[in-house]
Amino acid sequence: MDETDDEDEGTPSTKVGRLLESYDFDPGYGAELEARWTGERGERTSLRDLADAFNTRLLELALRSAGASVIDGEVDNLYRLLTDEEASAGGRVEARGRLEREGVDVDQLEADFVTYQAIRSYLKDVRGAEHQSTSPEKRVENTTETVERLLSRVQSVVESDLAGLRRADRITLGDFHLFVEVNVLCRDCQAQYGVVELLRRGGCDCESSASPRQTE
Protein backbone atom coordinates (compact mmCIF):
# COMPACT_ATOMS: atom_id res chain seq x y z
CA MET A 1 0.00 0.00 0.00
CA ASP A 2 1.35 3.42 -0.91
CA GLU A 3 2.15 5.79 1.97
CA THR A 4 -0.32 8.29 0.52
CA ASP A 5 -3.10 5.77 1.23
CA ASP A 6 -2.36 5.63 4.97
CA GLU A 7 -5.37 7.72 6.04
CA ASP A 8 -8.52 9.11 4.56
CA GLU A 9 -8.41 12.67 3.35
CA GLY A 10 -8.33 15.16 6.19
CA THR A 11 -7.29 14.40 9.76
CA PRO A 12 -5.69 10.96 10.22
CA SER A 13 -8.03 8.54 11.96
CA THR A 14 -5.53 6.80 14.24
CA LYS A 15 -3.09 7.96 16.89
CA VAL A 16 -0.14 6.51 14.99
CA GLY A 17 -1.25 8.24 11.80
CA ARG A 18 -1.58 11.59 13.57
CA LEU A 19 1.85 11.24 15.16
CA LEU A 20 3.45 10.34 11.84
CA GLU A 21 2.34 13.77 10.62
CA SER A 22 2.79 15.91 13.74
CA TYR A 23 6.30 14.64 14.51
CA ASP A 24 7.47 14.86 10.91
CA PHE A 25 8.46 11.22 10.50
CA ASP A 26 10.11 10.17 7.25
CA PRO A 27 7.44 9.78 4.52
CA GLY A 28 8.08 6.05 4.24
CA TYR A 29 7.99 5.22 7.93
CA GLY A 30 4.48 3.75 7.83
CA ALA A 31 5.49 1.46 4.99
CA GLU A 32 8.58 0.46 6.97
CA LEU A 33 6.43 -0.51 9.96
CA GLU A 34 4.26 -2.64 7.68
CA ALA A 35 7.24 -4.36 6.05
CA ARG A 36 8.80 -5.18 9.40
CA TRP A 37 5.55 -6.60 10.79
CA THR A 38 4.66 -8.70 7.76
CA GLY A 39 8.21 -10.01 7.33
CA GLU A 40 8.42 -8.59 3.82
CA ARG A 41 12.16 -8.07 4.28
CA GLY A 42 12.83 -11.51 5.70
CA GLU A 43 12.51 -10.83 9.41
CA ARG A 44 9.18 -10.32 11.15
CA THR A 45 9.14 -7.84 14.06
CA SER A 46 6.62 -8.14 16.89
CA LEU A 47 4.08 -5.40 17.56
CA ARG A 48 5.65 -4.70 20.97
CA ASP A 49 9.09 -4.23 19.40
CA LEU A 50 7.56 -2.00 16.72
CA ALA A 51 5.91 0.13 19.42
CA ASP A 52 9.26 0.52 21.21
CA ALA A 53 10.97 1.42 17.93
CA PHE A 54 8.23 3.94 17.10
CA ASN A 55 8.42 5.57 20.54
CA THR A 56 12.20 5.72 20.44
CA ARG A 57 12.07 7.47 17.08
CA LEU A 58 9.39 9.80 18.51
CA LEU A 59 11.73 10.73 21.35
CA GLU A 60 14.60 11.37 18.94
CA LEU A 61 12.43 13.60 16.75
CA ALA A 62 11.27 15.56 19.81
CA LEU A 63 14.88 16.21 20.80
CA ARG A 64 15.93 17.21 17.29
CA SER A 65 12.89 19.47 16.96
CA ALA A 66 14.02 21.22 20.15
CA GLY A 67 17.45 21.76 18.60
CA ALA A 68 19.24 19.29 20.87
CA SER A 69 22.31 17.36 19.78
CA VAL A 70 21.92 13.60 20.11
CA ILE A 71 24.80 11.18 20.61
CA ASP A 72 24.78 7.48 19.71
CA GLY A 73 22.90 5.35 22.23
CA GLU A 74 21.54 8.30 24.19
CA VAL A 75 17.99 8.12 22.84
CA ASP A 76 17.70 4.40 23.57
CA ASN A 77 18.91 4.97 27.12
CA LEU A 78 16.55 7.91 27.71
CA TYR A 79 13.62 5.85 26.45
CA ARG A 80 14.58 2.97 28.72
CA LEU A 81 14.77 5.26 31.75
CA LEU A 82 11.37 6.75 30.96
CA THR A 83 9.51 3.50 30.32
CA ASP A 84 11.31 0.52 31.85
CA GLU A 85 9.67 -0.55 35.13
CA GLU A 86 13.06 -1.75 36.35
CA ALA A 87 14.70 1.65 35.83
CA SER A 88 15.46 3.50 39.05
CA ALA A 89 13.41 6.49 40.15
CA GLY A 90 16.57 8.57 40.15
CA GLY A 91 17.33 7.57 36.58
CA ARG A 92 13.84 8.53 35.48
CA VAL A 93 14.12 11.95 37.17
CA GLU A 94 17.50 12.48 35.52
CA ALA A 95 16.11 11.56 32.10
CA ARG A 96 13.13 13.91 32.49
CA GLY A 97 15.45 16.69 33.61
CA ARG A 98 17.67 16.18 30.57
CA LEU A 99 14.70 16.45 28.22
CA GLU A 100 13.18 19.44 30.01
CA ARG A 101 16.49 21.32 29.83
CA GLU A 102 16.41 20.83 26.07
CA GLY A 103 12.90 22.28 25.91
CA VAL A 104 11.00 19.02 25.39
CA ASP A 105 7.49 18.82 26.86
CA VAL A 106 7.98 15.51 28.65
CA ASP A 107 4.37 15.09 29.77
CA GLN A 108 3.14 15.52 26.20
CA LEU A 109 5.86 13.22 24.89
CA GLU A 110 4.90 10.44 27.28
CA ALA A 111 1.23 10.92 26.40
CA ASP A 112 2.19 10.50 22.74
CA PHE A 113 3.99 7.19 23.30
CA VAL A 114 1.98 4.41 21.66
CA THR A 115 1.12 0.87 22.73
CA TYR A 116 1.40 -2.24 20.61
CA GLN A 117 -2.40 -2.13 20.24
CA ALA A 118 -2.12 1.28 18.57
CA ILE A 119 0.50 -0.06 16.17
CA ARG A 120 -1.72 -3.05 15.37
CA SER A 121 -4.73 -0.80 14.76
CA TYR A 122 -2.73 1.37 12.37
CA LEU A 123 -1.28 -1.57 10.46
CA LYS A 124 -4.47 -3.61 10.17
CA ASP A 125 -7.20 -0.99 10.03
CA VAL A 126 -5.41 1.76 8.12
CA ARG A 127 -2.84 -0.01 6.00
CA GLY A 128 -4.78 -3.27 5.67
CA ALA A 129 -1.64 -5.24 6.51
CA GLU A 130 -1.64 -8.98 7.21
CA HIS A 131 1.15 -11.42 7.85
CA GLN A 132 1.49 -15.08 7.05
CA SER A 133 1.84 -17.69 9.77
CA THR A 134 5.47 -18.34 10.64
CA SER A 135 7.05 -21.75 10.04
CA PRO A 136 8.74 -23.53 12.99
CA GLU A 137 12.14 -22.97 11.40
CA LYS A 138 11.44 -19.27 10.96
CA ARG A 139 10.23 -18.99 14.56
CA VAL A 140 13.54 -20.41 15.79
CA GLU A 141 15.43 -17.99 13.55
CA ASN A 142 13.35 -15.04 14.74
CA THR A 143 13.80 -16.03 18.38
CA THR A 144 17.55 -16.31 17.91
CA GLU A 145 17.73 -12.85 16.35
CA THR A 146 15.54 -11.39 19.10
CA VAL A 147 17.75 -12.86 21.83
CA GLU A 148 20.87 -11.54 20.10
CA ARG A 149 19.34 -8.05 19.89
CA LEU A 150 18.34 -8.14 23.56
CA LEU A 151 21.80 -9.24 24.67
CA SER A 152 23.36 -6.52 22.53
CA ARG A 153 21.00 -3.94 24.04
CA VAL A 154 21.79 -5.08 27.60
CA GLN A 155 25.50 -4.83 26.86
CA SER A 156 25.14 -1.36 25.34
CA VAL A 157 23.02 -0.02 28.22
CA VAL A 158 25.21 -1.44 30.99
CA GLU A 159 28.42 -0.27 29.31
CA SER A 160 26.95 3.21 28.94
CA ASP A 161 25.81 3.32 32.57
CA LEU A 162 29.15 2.07 33.89
CA ALA A 163 31.04 4.61 31.80
CA GLY A 164 28.75 7.37 33.08
CA LEU A 165 29.29 6.36 36.70
CA ARG A 166 33.04 6.26 36.10
CA ARG A 167 33.05 9.74 34.56
CA ALA A 168 31.08 11.03 37.55
CA ASP A 169 33.61 9.45 39.95
CA ARG A 170 30.87 7.33 41.48
CA ILE A 171 32.77 4.08 40.91
CA THR A 172 36.39 3.10 40.32
CA LEU A 173 36.80 1.24 37.05
CA GLY A 174 39.65 1.00 34.58
CA ASP A 175 39.49 0.00 30.94
CA PHE A 176 36.82 -2.71 30.87
CA HIS A 177 35.01 -5.17 28.65
CA LEU A 178 31.52 -6.38 29.53
CA PHE A 179 30.46 -10.00 29.04
CA VAL A 180 26.73 -10.66 28.74
CA GLU A 181 25.72 -14.31 28.73
CA VAL A 182 22.50 -16.25 29.21
CA ASN A 183 23.00 -19.97 29.67
CA VAL A 184 20.48 -22.80 29.62
CA LEU A 185 20.94 -25.96 31.70
CA CYS A 186 18.84 -28.99 30.79
CA ARG A 187 18.08 -30.89 34.00
CA ASP A 188 17.46 -34.12 32.11
CA CYS A 189 20.72 -34.52 30.17
CA GLN A 190 22.75 -32.00 32.23
CA ALA A 191 23.93 -30.25 29.05
CA GLN A 192 24.52 -26.51 29.34
CA TYR A 193 24.70 -24.11 26.42
CA GLY A 194 24.51 -20.42 25.77
CA VAL A 195 20.94 -19.67 24.72
CA VAL A 196 21.96 -18.59 21.19
CA GLU A 197 24.12 -21.69 20.76
CA LEU A 198 21.25 -23.87 21.99
CA LEU A 199 18.87 -22.37 19.44
CA ARG A 200 21.35 -22.68 16.58
CA ARG A 201 22.18 -26.32 17.31
CA GLY A 202 18.51 -27.25 17.59
CA GLY A 203 18.38 -28.16 21.28
CA CYS A 204 20.27 -29.93 24.05
CA ASP A 205 21.81 -33.43 24.22
CA CYS A 206 18.67 -35.27 25.34
CA GLU A 207 18.07 -37.15 22.09
CA SER A 208 21.71 -38.09 21.54
CA SER A 209 22.16 -39.19 25.16
CA ALA A 210 18.98 -41.25 25.31
CA SER A 211 19.47 -45.01 25.59
CA PRO A 212 18.74 -46.94 22.38
CA ARG A 213 15.34 -48.59 22.40
CA GLN A 214 15.64 -52.28 23.13
CA THR A 215 14.05 -54.61 20.61
CA GLU A 216 11.74 -57.27 22.02
Side-chain angles (χ1 to χ4, degrees):
M1 180 181 295
D2 292 338
E3 187 68 22
T4 54
D5 295 331
D6 279 358
E7 308 281 354
D8 294 331
E9 293 183 2
T11 303
S13 60
T14 63
K15 180 177 182 179
V16 171
R18 292 192 295 272
L19 292 171
L20 286 172
E21 290 191 0
S22 62
Y23 276 81
D24 195 27
F25 279 79
D26 295 336
Y29 196 83
E32 179 182 340
L33 288 174
E34 180 179 349
R36 291 175 63 182
W37 185 57
T38 59
E40 179 182 319
R41 299 173 184 173
E43 176 186 349
R44 183 174 171 265
T45 305
S46 72
L47 290 168
R48 292 184 187 276
D49 285 346
L50 287 177
D52 284 336
F54 183 94
N55 292 336
T56 302
R57 180 60 176 158
L58 202 72
L59 173 54
E60 181 180 0
L61 290 173
L63 278 167
R64 294 192 183 282
S65 178
S69 59
V70 181
I71 61 176
D72 289 344
E74 182 181 23
V75 175
D76 288 336
N77 194 43
L78 286 170
Y79 179 68
R80 178 184 65 85
L81 292 172
L82 289 175
T83 61
D84 193 335
E85 294 181 356
E86 296 183 2
S88 67
R92 178 177 173 81
V93 170
E94 182 180 342
R96 289 181 63 91
R98 160 79 167 93
L99 293 170
E100 288 170 352
R101 287 193 298 274
E102 296 292 352
V104 175
D105 185 338
V106 184
D107 290 336
Q108 182 61 56
L109 175 68
E110 291 183 322
D112 287 340
F113 283 160
V114 302
T115 63
Y116 76 92
Q117 293 99 328
I119 295 290
R120 180 174 57 193
S121 175
Y122 170 74
L123 291 173
K124 293 178 69 70
D125 299 341
V126 175
R127 297 192 66 88
E130 297 288 347
H131 64 81
Q132 301 296 323
S133 58
T134 307
S135 68
E137 294 79 8
K138 190 62 178 177
R139 289 182 62 186
V140 172
E141 180 183 341
N142 290 344
T143 299
T144 303
E145 292 172 350
T146 297
V147 170
E148 288 178 324
R149 286 198 305 271
L150 288 172
L151 292 176
S152 177
R153 181 183 178 191
V154 169
Q155 180 165 354
S156 175
V157 169
V158 175
E159 285 179 342
S160 175
D161 286 351
L162 288 175
L165 290 170
R166 182 175 60 183
R167 287 194 301 270
D169 293 327
R170 305 301 292 271
I171 62 171
T172 300
L173 181 64
D175 186 33
F176 69 94
H177 181 78
L178 184 69
F179 296 91
V180 178
E181 297 180 357
V182 177
N183 295 315
V184 181
L185 171 66
C186 176
R187 295 177 179 176
D188 292 334
C189 67
Q190 295 301 306
Q192 180 172 318
Y193 295 98
V195 63
V196 173
E197 181 184 3
L198 179 76
L199 290 166
R200 286 179 173 168
R201 75 189 303 273
C204 63
D205 296 341
C206 276
E207 183 175 349
S208 60
S209 63
S211 300
R213 180 177 296 178
Q214 299 296 322
T215 56
E216 297 181 357

